[in-house]
Amino acid sequence: MRPVVGIIGNHDEIFDQYPIVSSGTVNQRAISEVAGAIPMIIAPNTDVISIQEAMSVCDGFLLTGARPNVHPNEYGEEETEAHGTFDRVRDEFTLALVRACVAKGQPILGVCRGFQELSVAMGSTLYPEIRDLPGRDNHRMPTEGTWDEKFAHRHDVTFAQDGVFHRIMGEQVVRTNSLHGQGINDAGPRIHVDGVAPDGTAEAIYVKEAAGFALGVQWHPEWNAENDSVSRPLFAAFGDAARAWRGRSGDLVAAQ
C-alpha cells in the first residue's frame, strides 16, 4: 500500500457559522499524483486527535499554507495589528507535531505557513510583514488576476551550492511563485537557510541534524505540482522519504 501523508487542514467556517477543517484539492493531488502517497486531511486539534495518534496513522506530514499566522507569543513577541489573524489551536498542534517528527525522524514538509511553523518550532522569529522592510520586495499574492496569474512564477530562488535543495532540484537557481507576507527574522539554531530570494528573504530551509526529512519552502509548490519542474522533484523526494518511513515502520512491526 502507498504511504499515508497527513495533510494539516485549516479551521474555517461555511455559512459564517458552521465550523469545518479543510484543505485545498491541489495539496491532495500533489501528495497523491507526485509524492505517490495517500492524502489524509488531519484536523490540527489535540481535542480530537493526539500528536501520537496522528504519527501512528501517518508516514509523513504536509504542513499547508493558511491565511492565519503563527501567533508571535510562540516566538517571544507581542501581538500587533501587522501580525494579522491567528489560529492558536493549529499553533498548539503543529508546533508540537514538528518537534516530535524532527526528534523521531518522521518526514515533514512545510509550505508557506508550514514553513513558518517549522521555523518557529525550531526557535526562529518572524517578521510580521516583509514588504515593510527596507530593500525587501512585496512577496504577497497579487490582488488582481486569475488564479493561474496569482500563482505564476514571480522570482528566483538561489540554493546553496551542493546543498540539500540543490541536490533535490538538480538546479542551483529556480523560479517560484510568491504568496506570503511573513518571513524569517532570526533563524533558530537548528534552522539552516538553504535558499533565498533576490532580496535576501529566506525561501528554503531544513532542520540541521534532523533524524529524517524536515524541509520547508516559503512558496507554494502544490500549485500545478505535477507539471512544475521545481515542485515535482520536491514532492517526489518527500514521497520517497514517506515510503522509506513506512518500510522502516513495517520492518519494526514484523520484528516484534
Side-chain angles (χ1 to χ4, degrees), residues 112-180:
C112 200
R113 175 188 161 107
F115 168 101
Q116 293 157 14
E117 289 168 332
L118 186 64
S119 301
V120 171
M122 293 292 106
S124 301
T125 63
L126 304 176
Y127 288 118
E129 190 63 72
I130 298 171
R131 63 185 173 183
D132 292 341
L133 301 174
R136 297 293 187 95
D137 298 327
N138 181 3
H139 287 253
R140 284 193 173 275
M141 180 178 71
T143 57
E144 304 292 335
T146 65
W147 283 109
D148 281 334
E149 291 169 337
K150 292 176 187 292
F151 280 86
H153 292 170
R154 291 176 56 201
H155 63 66
D156 289 342
V157 174
T158 301
F159 304 126
Q161 178 72 37
D162 298 323
V164 171
F165 283 89
H166 186 189
R167 293 196 298 271
I168 289 175
M169 304 295 180
E171 301 285 345
Q172 192 176 2
V173 180
V174 300
R175 192 85 175 162
T176 72
N177 55 38
S178 185
L179 300 94
H180 63 99

Side-chain angles (χ1 to χ4, degrees), residues 61-92:
F61 294 93
L62 175 65
L63 305 179
T64 61
R67 191 173 297 277
N69 294 313
V70 177
H71 198 283
N73 285 174
E74 299 292 351
Y75 46 93
E77 297 184 8
E78 295 296 321
E79 173 185 339
T80 70
E81 186 175 343
H83 286 101
T85 59
F86 307 110
D87 182 347
R88 299 309 305 272
V89 176
R90 174 166 166 164
D91 288 348
E92 179 187 10

Side-chain angles (χ1 to χ4, degrees), residues 2 18 31 54 66 91 97 111 129 137 143 163 173 185 227 235 239:
R2 293 185 294 167
Y18 189 85
I31 292 301
D91 288 348
L97 177 66
V111 168
E129 190 63 72
D137 298 327
T143 57
V173 180
N185 181 355
N227 299 311
F235 277 106

Side-chain angles (χ1 to χ4, degrees), residues 220-236:
H220 281 265
E222 74 277 13
W223 185 261
N224 194 31
E226 60 269 34
N227 299 311
D228 186 81
S229 62
V230 176
S231 302
R232 178 171 283 279
L234 179 60
F235 277 106

Side-chain angles (χ1 to χ4, degrees), residues 6-11 21 40-58 60-64 70-71 74 87-101 106 108 113 117-118 121:
I7 299 176
I8 301 303
N10 289 308
H11 296 111
V21 172
M40 177 182 291
I41 299 175
I42 301 294
N45 185 340
T46 55
D47 286 345
V48 297
I49 183 172
S50 71
I51 301 299
Q52 292 72 27
E53 286 172 328
M55 292 177 69
S56 70
V57 170
C58 300
F61 294 93
L62 175 65
L63 305 179
T64 61
V70 177
H71 198 283
E74 299 292 351
D87 182 347
R88 299 309 305 272
V89 176
R90 174 166 166 164
D91 288 348
E92 179 187 10
F93 186 92
T94 54
L95 297 183
L97 177 66
V98 166
R99 295 177 186 123
C101 285
Q106 198 155 350
I108 192 161
R113 175 188 161 107
E117 289 168 332
L118 186 64

